[in-house]
Amino acid sequence: MKSSIRRSRRAATAVALGSVLALTATACGDDGSGGAGDKGGEGSGKGTITFWDNNGGVRTDIWKQVIADFEKKYPDIEVKYVGIPAASAQSKYDTAIQGGGLPDVGGVGTAMLAEVAVQGALEPLDARLEKSPLNGRLSRNLLDVSKSAGGGDALYQVPTSANNGTLWYRTDLFEKAGLDAPSTWAKFYEAAGKLTDKGRNEFGFTIRGGEGAIAPALDAVYGQTGITSFWNGDKTTVNDPKNVAALEKYIALYKKDTPSADVNNDFTKMVAQWDSGTIGMLSHNLGSYQDHLKALGKDRFRGIPNPTLDDGTRVQVSNPVDGLSLFKSSKNKAASWKFIEFALSAAENSKFNESAGQVPANTDAAKAAWIQRAEPTRLAAEALNGTDTKIVQLPYYLPDWNTISKADNEPNFQKLLLGKMTAKEFLDTLADQLNAAQADWKKNH
């Protein structure tokens, strides 16, 4: 707990230093759109703006199509595209905040949103969105994720797309066993047991035990209990007794209805194992759809949103949401906001997400013909936009969130699977770290 507090304080110190450097750079001038301390201006609504793509290479072609469409509609605005690899996007923004040269518009995912926002680099977008044609046309659930990830006080990111937790299952194996689709948690556990035959190396489920294990585990826990808030006052609900019981039930699948190799499997190994073997179910996001299609063909599997409670209520933790942010230092915010509005229009948001294989934030785009043909994406969109879906907002805004959920507790999750730690010990440890990080964040904000 003490180490967590120390990390938060170091982060707060770095933020303060970054702000000072940004102000200094602004006073001296720079060759870009400015640093975090530069308030920028509305500009003429014409001229050149700079856009940073935070997933350069992977999304370059589709963004260039969107930009070409935009420049055709607005010939008096030129968009300079800069592609940044996803792995270096955070450091690129941090460097520009401190030294100047920020873009007008940039792709900022929820995982990094709070850190960029807390340094004063982003323009609040609530008022602009309220007056925009986009108002009422963006997924309310995704907007809530964006606002929460930015710290909850203002909207610093307009969501463009989301990846949703998906339960992939082998329809051929389910039909052979006479099982219903695993649409509820009761049906999920029933299928996990009935599809397991260790003597034939057949298993009902594959559980993620390696890198990235914490989020899917929390998804399963909150999904089973129906608890809809990550916080009860200033204390996390993660170690609520109901969550402890749910985690005990979930990890009891390990080695009973899952392969023993799962303890070390990240998503790449887990997906490959499911595609090549005789495992009934896999919990992963929409991103692995093409892998399954290539390995199994379209008639041997389905992808549905994670199971619901028996009454049909769906509770899931927030998935990372990608989106566009307007930088406060922009000298041409009017033109920059036009670009954001255009990219989020139904036609362009649909085009972008068809290429990305993700769920559009624009609810009209979510009704596009390609989504109706891609069942996993259609069902994910319906779940994300559904009134029966309750989203538990993970605290992406905490400076220590990534460290706590990865470095600190992924090894503990493996101990949990191996029986070297109880579910209560695991969740109590996680809760202590989160409560300390939350207290430190409130103190500094």
Side-chain angles (χ1 to χ4, degrees):
M1 185 168 69
K2 289 180 180 178
S3 64
S4 178
I5 293 173
R6 283 196 298 270
R7 281 192 299 270
S8 288
R9 286 173 179 163
R10 284 198 298 271
T13 301
V15 167
L17 176 60
S19 298
V20 171
L21 289 171
L23 287 167
T24 303
T26 303
C28 297
D30 58 71
D31 58 359
S33 298
D38 189 340
K39 294 182 180 179
E42 287 299 305
S44 66
K46 301 178 182 179
T48 301
I49 61 172
T50 300
F51 165 61
W52 284 9
D53 172 12
N54 61 325
N55 199 0
V58 177
R59 301 281 183 257
T60 296
D61 289 344
I62 186 59
W63 271 121
K64 286 192 172 181
Q65 288 182 42
V66 172
I67 289 169
D69 291 346
F70 175 76
E71 290 178 340
K72 184 176 180 180
K73 182 174 181 179
Y74 297 99
D76 51 2
I77 303 175
E78 178 189 355
V79 180
K80 283 181 59 180
Y81 171 88
V82 179
I84 302 168
S88 57
Q90 176 72 71
S91 60
K92 180 77 171 177
Y93 280 126
D94 286 343
T95 300
I97 288 169
Q98 294 179 21
L102 284 166
D104 298 282
V105 179
V108 181
T110 48
M112 71 174 84
L113 182 63
E115 187 168 339
V116 178
V118 78
Q119 297 181 72
L122 301 180
E123 180 85 357
L125 300 174
D126 304 80
R128 292 178 191 268
L129 183 59
E130 189 176 339
K131 299 173 185 175
S132 169
L134 293 174
N135 191 22
R137 297 186 180 277
L138 300 180
S139 167
R140 187 71 255 168
N141 281 337
L142 293 191
L143 283 169
D144 288 345
V145 172
S146 295
K147 195 159 190 173
S148 174
D153 296 329
L155 182 70
Y156 291 110
Q157 176 220 59
V158 180
T160 55
S161 52
N163 226 331
N164 201 47
T166 300
L167 183 62
W168 304 98
Y169 73 97
R170 289 280 300 272
T171 51
D172 54 346
L173 301 182
F174 271 69
E175 288 168 8
K176 184 178 178 181
L179 290 165
D180 293 333
S183 56
T184 67
W185 285 103
K187 291 177 179 178
F188 165 81
Y189 281 109
E190 178 190 9
K194 286 192 175 180
L195 292 173
T196 297
D197 185 338
K198 291 184 181 179
R200 302 177 65 177
N201 200 36
E202 297 173 353
F203 297 93
F205 184 55
T206 174
I207 195 169
R208 187 168 181 169
E211 183 181 353
I214 304 302
L218 292 179
D219 217 359
V221 165
Y222 280 96
Q224 291 176 78
T225 62
I227 295 172
T228 58
S229 176
F230 198 78
W231 300 102
N232 181 8
D234 290 332
K235 302 295 182 183
T236 180
T237 59
V238 77
N239 61 337
D240 183 284
K242 292 180 182 178
N243 282 344
V244 172
L247 183 59
E248 287 172 343
K249 187 174 184 179
Y250 183 68
I251 60 103
L253 294 171
Y254 175 63
K255 287 206 298 188
K256 180 174 79 71
D257 297 322
T258 80
S260 58
D262 281 356
V263 69
N264 293 312
N265 282 354
D266 59 10
F267 87 90
T268 305
K269 294 175 183 174
M270 191 174 62
V271 167
Q273 178 178 262
W274 190 73
D275 285 345
S276 63
T278 51
I279 299 172
M281 296 177 289
L282 160 75
S283 184
H284 189 242
N285 59 45
L286 292 169
S288 55
Y289 177 59
Q290 293 300 327
D291 292 327
H292 308 325
L293 199 60
K294 183 177 179 181
L296 301 169
K298 65 183 178 65
D299 297 325
R300 294 174 62 197
F301 75 98
R302 282 185 74 202
I304 62 175
N306 285 337
T308 69
L309 299 172
D310 287 339
D311 66 2
T313 301
R314 187 184 310 284
V315 178
Q316 62 183 60
V317 300
S318 54
N319 284 273
V321 171
D322 211 3
L324 298 176
S325 294
L326 174 59
F327 282 81
K328 190 177 291 184
S329 58
S330 171
K331 304 295 193 300
N332 200 344
K333 292 176 186 173
S336 300
W337 180 246
K338 283 181 186 177
F339 177 68
I340 292 175
E341 284 186 318
F342 183 84
L344 266 296
S345 65
E348 298 300 319
N349 194 229
S350 174
K351 179 188 295 186
F352 176 86
N353 281 287
E354 183 176 11
S355 172
Q358 295 186 316
V359 179
N362 187 302
T363 52
D364 292 329
K367 300 170 187 174
W370 69 268
I371 289 186
Q372 305 312 308
R373 294 191 297 269
E375 185 192 42
T377 308
R378 174 175 60 80
L379 295 176
E382 290 172 357
L384 281 171
N385 296 322
T387 56
D388 289 335
T389 299
K390 311 297 181 186
I391 296 182
V392 179
Q393 303 293 348
L394 295 181
Y396 297 121
Y397 60 86
L398 291 178
D400 281 354
W401 169 248
N402 284 333
T403 302
I404 291 172
S405 63
K406 291 182 177 294
D408 287 355
N409 284 288
E410 284 179 356
N412 283 346
F413 191 75
Q414 291 182 315
K415 290 180 183 178
L416 174 62
L417 291 178
L418 295 171
K420 297 178 180 179
M421 199 173 200
T422 67
K424 187 175 188 306
E425 288 170 340
F426 173 79
L427 290 178
D428 281 348
T429 299
L430 180 59
D432 285 346
Q433 293 169 339
L434 288 165
N435 290 339
Q438 174 77 348
D440 205 52
W441 183 84
K442 282 202 160 187
K443 182 179 176 181
N444 287 291
H445 293 79

